[in-house]
Amino acid sequence: MAYLLGIDGGSTRTTACLADDRLSILSRVQAGPSNPIKVGVATAQRELARACHQALSKARVQPARLEAVCAGLAGGDRGSIQRRMLAWLRKEFPARAHMITTDAAITLAAALGEEEGAIVIAGTGSIAYGRDQHGRTLRVGGWGSLIDDAGSGYDIGRRAIAAALRAYDGRGRPTRLTESLCRELRLGKIIDVIAKPLAAQQIAALFTVVQQEARAGDAVARSLCREAAGDLAELALTMIRQLGRERQPVRVICSGGVFQSSPMIRRAFADRVHQSSPRARISLLQREPVLGALLLASKLAKSQASKRRKA
């Protein structure tokens, strides 16, 4: 029996799934973050190795019995990172075939298989990814938290801190976010945040504070959620235009913690998208992205087997 290994390596966690050649899941394991851009290549490799070896051990499968391995990593399409991670993956797991791609690519596979349509991911970062009627893949956004990733958890958390500081100065509206952020970050006063070293994941986690205050009716928090929805809708609408589907039915699948946990953002996002693309069919992702990695691993294995037969 041939075995397939699918990996979803993100900024929050790594998920590895082992399946047989009929895509029946044999084991599923999680480890720490493995986004090589955020945590570095060495840490990413360590967490990937931990998750994958545990998945193999749990199912009592030797690495040499792997037919194909597909890893979807944030930033996995960047040339130097892709080459380093692919070389390491081939050495660590001696399968017949290996693939390093992006987390967006495996999410697209999980959401749509090989159908035309778009996904919008809003987690720590944000990106829109799509496939047109000719099978070509397209992307919008996702250029990193320091310069882009609008509507992401990081972006919302950063804006929340900025709003609290403006309120402190008197430049912005008073908001309960000031007190809530101080509690969450264990600050004496909000200006202490300037001297506090915060990792990207810590800032992204502040989205939950914004969400709680938005539900409680805080005007500033609600405004931040509406702004995020507008930014994410812009990603979706730009992708829909690239697909040439503005006035035609098109599937738009939403993925990531921001969409999953905020009905307010989902509703505002859908409203904005439908204003310009009324026939868009918007829904939440129903399958884990790691299952998309398994689908791509299966496709890779079949392609390699076909090449061997022809040879």
Side-chain angles (χ1 to χ4, degrees):
M1 181 177 290
Y3 296 96
L4 307 169
L5 187 59
I7 307 159
D8 175 16
S11 299
T12 304
R13 68 184 64 85
T14 299
T15 303
C17 273
L18 183 71
D20 61 24
D21 51 9
R22 292 169 295 186
L23 292 176
S24 297
I25 304 296
L26 304 176
S27 64
R28 180 183 182 281
V29 171
Q30 287 192 335
S34 58
N35 177 341
I37 296 172
K38 295 288 175 63
V39 302
V41 169
T43 299
Q45 290 173 350
R46 184 191 69 221
E47 295 304 318
L48 288 166
R50 186 157 69 95
C52 294
H53 283 299
Q54 286 181 11
L56 289 163
S57 177
K58 194 173 179 180
R60 298 182 180 179
V61 172
Q62 295 298 315
R65 298 183 67 189
L66 289 170
E67 186 70 20
V69 181
C70 174
L73 308 178
D77 58 345
R78 302 191 184 186
S80 60
I81 289 176
Q82 187 177 50
R83 287 191 294 272
R84 288 181 67 184
M85 296 303 292
L86 185 58
W88 171 83
L89 193 68
R90 286 171 172 159
K91 183 178 179 181
E92 188 76 14
F93 300 99
R96 287 180 178 269
H98 303 77
M99 175 188 291
I100 295 283
T101 187
T102 65
D103 53 343
I106 64 171
T107 303
L108 183 69
L112 297 170
E114 296 187 357
E115 294 179 16
E116 181 182 7
I119 60 168
V120 180
I121 303 174
T124 301
S126 66
I127 190 172
Y129 207 68
R131 181 183 294 108
D132 68 14
Q133 60 183 331
H134 305 293
R136 295 175 299 193
T137 54
L138 307 165
R139 70 173 285 171
V140 177
W143 303 117
S145 57
L146 291 179
I147 53 178
D148 190 27
D149 287 0
S152 66
Y154 179 93
D155 188 44
I156 295 169
R158 181 191 62 78
R159 291 188 187 193
I161 294 171
L165 288 170
R166 285 197 299 271
Y168 176 87
D169 286 340
R171 290 181 292 151
R173 290 177 291 175
T175 172
R176 286 198 297 266
L177 285 171
T178 303
E179 192 175 321
S180 297
L181 291 172
C182 285
R183 282 199 304 270
E184 182 70 20
L185 298 174
R186 299 181 181 179
L187 305 172
K189 49 187 179 296
I190 192 62
I191 58 173
D192 294 341
V193 73
I194 304 304
K196 190 176 181 70
L198 293 173
Q201 193 55 43
Q202 289 176 287
I203 295 174
L206 298 177
F207 164 65
T208 59
V209 176
V210 177
Q211 185 184 9
Q212 289 165 5
E213 293 300 346
R215 282 200 301 259
D218 183 80
V220 173
R222 293 176 72 86
S223 177
L224 290 175
C225 289
R226 287 194 298 270
E227 289 170 9
D231 287 332
L232 295 170
E234 182 180 44
L235 288 176
L237 290 168
T238 304
M239 176 58 68
I240 290 169
R241 285 196 298 273
Q242 290 193 13
L243 295 173
R245 307 288 293 186
E246 299 98 316
R247 298 293 169 181
Q248 301 176 48
V250 60
R251 293 182 67 192
V252 178
I253 311 299
C254 302
S255 175
V258 171
F259 280 122
Q260 293 285 346
S261 59
S262 178
M264 182 183 302
I265 289 178
R266 291 200 303 270
R267 287 193 298 269
F269 169 84
D271 289 344
R272 289 288 294 274
V273 171
H274 284 144
Q275 286 174 14
S276 298
S277 185
R279 301 184 71 184
R281 303 195 302 270
I282 300 169
S283 61
L284 278 173
L285 181 69
Q286 297 300 310
R287 297 203 292 179
E288 282 187 286
V290 71
L291 300 182
L294 285 174
L295 288 171
L296 293 177
S298 177
K299 183 178 178 181
L300 179 63
K302 290 174 183 176
S303 173
Q304 292 297 314
S306 177
K307 288 179 182 178
R308 288 196 298 271
R309 286 195 297 269
K310 290 178 181 178

